[in-house]
Amino acid sequence: MTAVPEVDDPGVKAEAPRSLWRDRRALGWAFATGVSAVGDEIWYVALAFTAAQLGNAALAGLVLACATIPRALLTILGGALTDRFDARRMMIGADLARIVVLAGALLALAATGVSAGLLMVVGLLFGVADAFYGPASGAFPRQLVRRSELVRLSALRQLLDRLAGVVGAPLGGLVLVAWGLGGAMLLDLISFAVVLVVLVAVRPRWPLARSTGNTVRTDIRDGLNYLRLTPKVRDLVITLSGLNVFVSPVVAVGLALHAVGSGWGGVGLGWLTAAMGGGAAIGTLIVLKWRPERPLRAAVLLLFGQAASLALVGNAGYAATLGGMVVVGVVAGLASPMLSGAFQATVDEEYIGRVGSVLSLTDDALMPLTMVGFGLLAQLLGLGTAALLFAGGFIALLLYALSRPHVRDLRIPDERNS
């Protein structure tokens, strides 16, 4: 492609800078999504605390689960629409919808006060917006940066998300004490407004190829057939889908059980969790500079270290477990951007929304089942045995990934349209 000056006309192709750090469009969008992530953390802390004060544990759980229901039901539709229409405009529409929802919620809160019904309605409507925003957000980087910069952009976004968790969660508690639920809603609304302004200003550099079905239903069926019949994409989706299945139950359920059973208490568990978070931040910083020639192979090889560290849960003392959690975090910070960037670069652009939505749906569907399954195994066979079984399953998945040439030998081309 011949380089031309950057312009604001979306119909004119403009070459991206060779380095992400010189790219004002990509950096502006990444930092705006980081601001939004802080707002989301503030809102989630306020929502969780307010839900817990309802006086009924089951009702509190229902309130917190409301956002996941429409997301699970509609995310495939969101992916199909992303491939059919314009990803940036879908994000703008979803952002506007969330601003309207929060503005309406603020008015209802002022008129009637806090209620479970209000929280559930907000959660459901947010879930609908997320079902359309998520696939579009996953497709947009292909229109913004070169393929060779997709891993780095993914790393930057993930780093900002991790920092948002560190800053936003405690800030949410302070906001709730100072200004109540309404203050948290207002700050989240402002964060969405920041993203909206940036999305209006940040024009895509290249158009994405669009789906060609006569109807959305045809597009969904075509996307599923593409996934089934395209080995490189199918192998990649199987690999990515299995990661959280084996890792999250051990670190979410297993660590808590280990801390309780070993008498480490809440403080001990907090340090274990912090070790993962700190390690992940370090890993993400490294991958911002490191560009392996075969990112998928590098990521899979690193993940063997993570699998070995998971086996320590329930089978080792505190110091070894703490060190293992540092390894889990560092590897997650290194591997996750490589996997995400490789996924965005590998999937044909007219299918990226639909395949991304299948991947998200797989995570949403499998995660609750594996959490329950791990807990049952820990109860029947012991925590250490359950952790070893999950670590073994993880290793088997990684060996499968290395056996697939589409995963093992994948390179990300430097040119945007390779």
Side-chain angles (χ1 to χ4, degrees), residues 125-212:
L125 293 176
F126 263 34
V128 172
D130 287 345
F132 296 98
Y133 187 91
S137 179
F140 190 55
R142 283 284 289 270
Q143 296 185 265
L144 203 57
V145 298
R146 299 171 181 275
R147 290 194 187 191
S148 58
E149 291 295 317
L150 285 169
V151 170
R152 189 169 288 173
L153 177 58
S154 178
L156 177 60
R157 292 181 65 196
Q158 290 187 29
L159 177 62
L160 292 171
D161 278 345
R162 298 185 197 283
L163 292 176
V166 173
V167 174
L171 186 57
L174 294 174
V175 169
L176 191 61
V177 170
W179 299 303
L181 183 66
M185 285 183 179
L186 180 61
L187 287 179
D188 200 21
L189 186 155
I190 292 171
S191 74
F192 288 134
V194 170
V195 175
L196 180 64
V197 170
V198 172
L199 282 173
V200 170
V202 173
R203 306 279 186 168
R205 289 191 168 91
W206 304 281
L208 283 180
R210 295 293 166 207
S211 58
T212 57

Side-chain angles (χ1 to χ4, degrees), residues 150-151 236 295-296 336-347 410 412:
L150 285 169
V151 170
L236 184 53
L296 277 179
S336 183
M338 293 184 197
L339 295 167
S340 177
F343 174 83
Q344 291 173 355
T346 301
V347 179
L410 176 77
I412 298 179

Side-chain angles (χ1 to χ4, degrees), residues 30 41 58 117 131 138-139 152 243 251 311:
E41 288 289 339
R152 189 169 288 173
L243 298 183
V251 299

Side-chain angles (χ1 to χ4, degrees), residues 65-154:
C66 274
T68 65
I69 298 170
R71 188 169 65 237
L73 292 174
L74 297 173
T75 188
I76 296 293
L77 175 61
L81 292 177
T82 294
D83 291 336
R84 196 173 184 87
F85 301 113
D86 181 75
R88 172 172 162 267
R89 290 178 180 174
M90 282 189 63
M91 286 190 289
I92 289 173
D95 235 27
L96 277 170
R98 290 189 285 199
I99 290 172
V100 170
V101 168
L102 284 174
L106 281 168
L107 293 175
L109 183 66
T112 63
V114 177
S115 68
L118 173 63
L119 299 180
M120 285 190 284
V121 168
V122 173
L124 287 168
L125 293 176
F126 263 34
V128 172
D130 287 345
F132 296 98
Y133 187 91
S137 179
F140 190 55
R142 283 284 289 270
Q143 296 185 265
L144 203 57
V145 298
R146 299 171 181 275
R147 290 194 187 191
S148 58
E149 291 295 317
L150 285 169
V151 170
R152 189 169 288 173
L153 177 58
S154 178

Side-chain angles (χ1 to χ4, degrees), residues 322-374:
L322 184 68
M325 292 310 102
V326 172
V327 173
V328 168
V330 170
V331 171
L334 285 167
S336 183
M338 293 184 197
L339 295 167
S340 177
F343 174 83
Q344 291 173 355
T346 301
V347 179
D348 291 338
E349 58 187 38
E350 63 266 36
Y351 292 100
I352 193 167
R354 282 166 286 179
V355 176
S357 66
V358 169
L359 189 58
S360 297
L361 182 60
T362 303
D363 274 348
D364 288 341
L366 291 178
M367 283 295 295
L369 296 176
T370 55
M371 292 283 190
V372 173
F374 181 84

Side-chain angles (χ1 to χ4, degrees), residues 270-290:
W271 280 111
L272 292 171
T273 304
M276 283 190 292
I282 292 170
T284 308
L285 285 171
I286 293 172
V287 85
L288 283 170
K289 292 290 186 181
W290 182 37

